[in-house]
């Protein structure tokens, strides 16, 4: 009596293994993309907390400034260099220096960008909402934290592959940062 497998059994086994691996691949990639989007939101929330802490530590305004580029936005942390708040003209002239190197979200989290997916509505009903503007801090592209912990209120909208929509929101009076996620089936935002 011989022990072993026939060529036919081996081919069938390999075909079934390949089929199972093919079926699992989209699930694995979908989970990876979801984790990246959630990681990006948490990263931005922590970066905003760092800016607030820096403002308290330095006893000076500290801002996270978002600069549009051809393929998205670059953000840089800058500090008030002359006591009159962080101003774009003073950032460009070097009076308000960068205290952290600029970076792009997609450099840290591939496939995640600042944006608003189709069908996503405002977080608060009645607020002005432009689905072409994913960075909202009044009329500016800068969130500035004061030495007392207050800040410019606003929202950063980020979207990952697979249309995973998240928002990082900063409350002005307290500087508190919250992460929200849009649930398409419910058509509403929910805290994470």
């Amino acid at each position: 009596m011989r022990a072993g497998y026939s060529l036919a059994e081996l081919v069938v086994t390999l075909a079934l293994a390949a089929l199972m691996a093919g079926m699992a691949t989209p699930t694995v990639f979908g989970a990876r993309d979801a984790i990246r989007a959630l990681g990006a939101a948490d990263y931005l929330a922590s970066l905003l907390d760092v800016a607030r802490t820096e403002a308290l530590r330095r006893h000076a305004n500290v801002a996270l400034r978002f600069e549009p580029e051809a393929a998205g936005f670059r953000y840089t942390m800058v500090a008030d260099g002359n006591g009159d708040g962080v101003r774009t003209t003073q950032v460009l002239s070097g009076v308000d220096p960068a205290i952290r190197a600029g970076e792009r979200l997609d450099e840290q989290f591939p496939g995640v960008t600042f944006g608003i997916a189709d069908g996503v509505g405002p977080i608060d009903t009645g607020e002005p909402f432009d689905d072409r503007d994913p960075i909202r801090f009044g009329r500016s592209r800068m969130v500035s934290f004061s030495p007392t912990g207050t800040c410019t209120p606003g929202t950063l909208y980020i979207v990952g592959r697979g249309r995973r929509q998240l928002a990082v929101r900063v409350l002005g009076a307290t500087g508190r940062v919250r992460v929200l996620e849009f649930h398409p089936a419910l058509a509403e935002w929910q805290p994470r």
Side-chain angles (χ1 to χ4, degrees):
M1 209 161 193
R2 287 184 11 196
Y5 300 103
S6 71
L7 182 58
E9 290 172 323
L10 186 57
V11 167
V12 167
T13 302
L14 289 174
L16 285 173
L19 179 66
M20 296 296 281
M23 289 171 43
T25 299
T27 303
V28 169
F29 286 142
R32 180 190 66 185
D33 291 338
I35 289 169
R36 281 185 183 160
L38 294 171
D42 289 342
Y43 177 74
L44 286 171
S46 69
L47 195 59
L48 291 165
D49 284 335
V50 167
R52 182 176 186 268
T53 301
E54 279 295 310
L56 295 170
R57 187 181 72 76
R58 291 171 179 265
H59 304 288
N61 288 325
V62 172
L64 199 58
R65 183 172 180 265
F66 296 85
E67 305 164 71
E69 294 185 336
F73 291 89
R74 177 167 296 282
Y75 46 91
T76 308
M77 192 176 298
V78 295
D80 182 9
N82 61 355
D84 68 349
V86 178
R87 302 188 190 298
T88 298
T89 56
Q90 293 177 350
V91 170
L92 297 174
S93 70
V95 172
D96 294 340
I99 58 172
R100 187 175 174 135
E103 61 187 16
R104 291 174 49 95
L105 194 60
D106 58 355
E107 292 170 346
Q108 304 292 326
F109 302 92
V112 181
T113 60
F114 291 102
I116 301 172
D118 293 336
V120 173
I123 294 172
D124 296 321
T125 57
E127 78 176 4
F129 187 75
D130 179 358
D131 62 2
R132 297 166 294 161
D133 186 12
I135 297 173
R136 310 242 174 103
F137 294 102
R139 292 180 290 161
S140 161
R141 294 218 183 278
M142 192 170 3
V143 55
S144 183
F145 292 88
S146 76
T148 62
T150 63
C151 72
T152 312
T155 305
L156 300 169
Y157 291 91
I158 61 171
V159 64
R161 290 185 185 127
R163 297 173 33 97
R164 185 103 188 222
Q165 182 73 62
L166 295 135
V168 180
R169 183 162 248 205
V170 187
L171 306 176
T174 61
R176 184 173 162 227
V177 180
R178 295 180 6 176
V179 176
L180 301 134
E181 183 172 4
F182 186 76
H183 293 274
L186 304 171
E188 66 181 29
W189 289 92
Q190 294 182 347
R192 284 220 14 85

